Amino acid sequence: ANARRQVSALLPNLEFARVERQGQHLHFPGMATRRAALIGDAFVDVQVGGVGALPCWGTDVACSSVRLLPGGACGNTARQLGALGGCELEAFFYSCVGDDEPGRHYIRTLEAEGCLTSPSRTLRLLPGVPQSCCVILSGSEDRAMCSCYETVHRVTTGLFSAELLAESWALVHLGGYFNCVGLHDDALLDLLRALKARWSEHGMAAPHPVCSHPRCEPRRAARCSPWTHSTTAPASGAARAATCAGFRR
């Protein structure tokens, strides 16, 4: 749903019922290719299915399946956006991965999917840092998780700012902001201001932040005055929205 909203914003005249399929991607006749940069969290999800009850210390509980899947709020949005955009939208995902087997598995999976542009270049490999993983125990009524945040906590603006400022973007999307603690500083605000200035210099409409995920701190984005920071309360009624903010032209 998040990726679908972003595609609708970038390609406002698109009617999803009338698009054409080319291979595994969607093709929008007559549309020029646009570029989207997505910055945020990359997780490897270890999906453990069919757990009847959560194990206690010192016990073993049987499950029905175990799967390794690419995850992360921003990672999933980037992959879905790239798949929906097809030939008319290039999605570039900027994040960090560990220089270990889970991290390499993540990169191999994204490259095999073919939805993102140059993931092996945009994902920063961090030597000696364990890949962020989320072990998900799924039962019939509920689930529990155990997460490693090592690479997610090391996502910083400085790793990508030069590349982001060197390109022209139709969309800059922040995903998984709540857990990407390395983005919780003024360097991110400086980058967003610089991107806004670049859009203005080229005669483009000023970017407008669109919030689409719960649990962010709106006051930080509000400091990027005079942008309007729109918030939406999550269905649960908990915390304020949104950890994902898209700045589009």
Side-chain angles (χ1 to χ4, degrees), residues 22 29 33 38 44 58 61 77 95 99 109 124 129 139 152 164 169 180 207 230 242 247-248:
Q22 291 190 342
T33 301
L38 298 96
V44 171
V61 174
T77 299
S95 188
D99 188 14
T109 302
R124 302 299 191 259
V129 179
V152 168
L164 290 168
W169 306 103
C180 293
S230 167
F247 297 85
R248 68 175 183 265

Side-chain angles (χ1 to χ4, degrees), residues 11 98 103 129 168 176 234 245:
L11 309 174
V129 179
S168 177

Side-chain angles (χ1 to χ4, degrees), residues 19-28 79-87 109-116:
V19 299
E20 302 174 2
R21 287 198 173 274
Q22 291 190 342
Q24 296 181 346
H25 299 294
L26 298 177
H27 173 62
F28 313 113
R79 293 165 55 231
Q80 294 158 10
L81 187 63
L84 287 170
C87 301
T109 302
L110 265 57
E111 289 178 334
E113 286 179 342
C115 297
L116 297 173

Side-chain angles (χ1 to χ4, degrees), residues 83-128:
L84 287 170
C87 301
E88 280 66 41
L89 179 67
E90 289 185 292
F92 295 77
F93 177 38
Y94 292 91
S95 188
C96 296
V97 295
D99 188 14
D100 54 11
E101 183 52 36
R104 290 188 287 272
H105 170 80
Y106 188 88
I107 294 178
R108 288 196 302 268
T109 302
L110 265 57
E111 289 178 334
E113 286 179 342
C115 297
L116 297 173
T117 302
S118 306
S120 59
R121 175 176 63 84
T122 60
L123 295 173
R124 302 299 191 259
L125 199 66
L126 303 181

Side-chain angles (χ1 to χ4, degrees), residues 195-234:
L195 288 170
K196 178 189 176 184
R198 285 201 59 204
W199 278 317
S200 299
E201 288 173 2
H202 289 82
M204 304 173 185
H208 175 72
V210 178
C211 305
S212 54
H213 198 281
R215 298 176 68 190
C216 99
E217 177 49 73
R219 289 173 296 180
R220 177 168 295 277
R223 291 169 58 190
C224 294
S225 178
W227 294 347
T228 302
H229 190 69
S230 167
T231 61
T232 305

Side-chain angles (χ1 to χ4, degrees), residues 28-173:
F28 313 113
M31 292 288 186
T33 301
R34 299 190 181 188
R35 297 158 64 89
L38 298 96
I39 312 163
D41 58 335
F43 275 93
V44 171
D45 288 345
V46 184
Q47 295 270 8
V48 181
V51 179
L54 295 179
C56 300
W57 293 116
T59 64
D60 183 17
V61 174
C63 68
S64 61
S65 64
V66 178
R67 295 188 298 163
L68 291 179
L69 301 171
C74 193
N76 286 339
T77 299
R79 293 165 55 231
Q80 294 158 10
L81 187 63
L84 287 170
C87 301
E88 280 66 41
L89 179 67
E90 289 185 292
F92 295 77
F93 177 38
Y94 292 91
S95 188
C96 296
V97 295
D99 188 14
D100 54 11
E101 183 52 36
R104 290 188 287 272
H105 170 80
Y106 188 88
I107 294 178
R108 288 196 302 268
T109 302
L110 265 57
E111 289 178 334
E113 286 179 342
C115 297
L116 297 173
T117 302
S118 306
S120 59
R121 175 176 63 84
T122 60
L123 295 173
R124 302 299 191 259
L125 199 66
L126 303 181
V129 179
Q131 167 63 34
S132 289
C133 296
C134 181
V135 180
I136 305 168
L137 305 176
S138 300
S140 58
E141 297 181 357
D142 207 344
R143 64 178 185 170
M145 292 167 282
C146 180
S147 300
C148 169
Y149 293 96
E150 293 301 312
T151 50
V152 168
H153 284 174
R154 288 169 170 79
V155 176
T156 64
T157 307
L159 292 172
F160 316 110
S161 57
E163 188 169 341
L164 290 168
L165 290 170
E167 302 291 343
S168 177
W169 306 103
L171 171 78
V172 174
H173 177 90

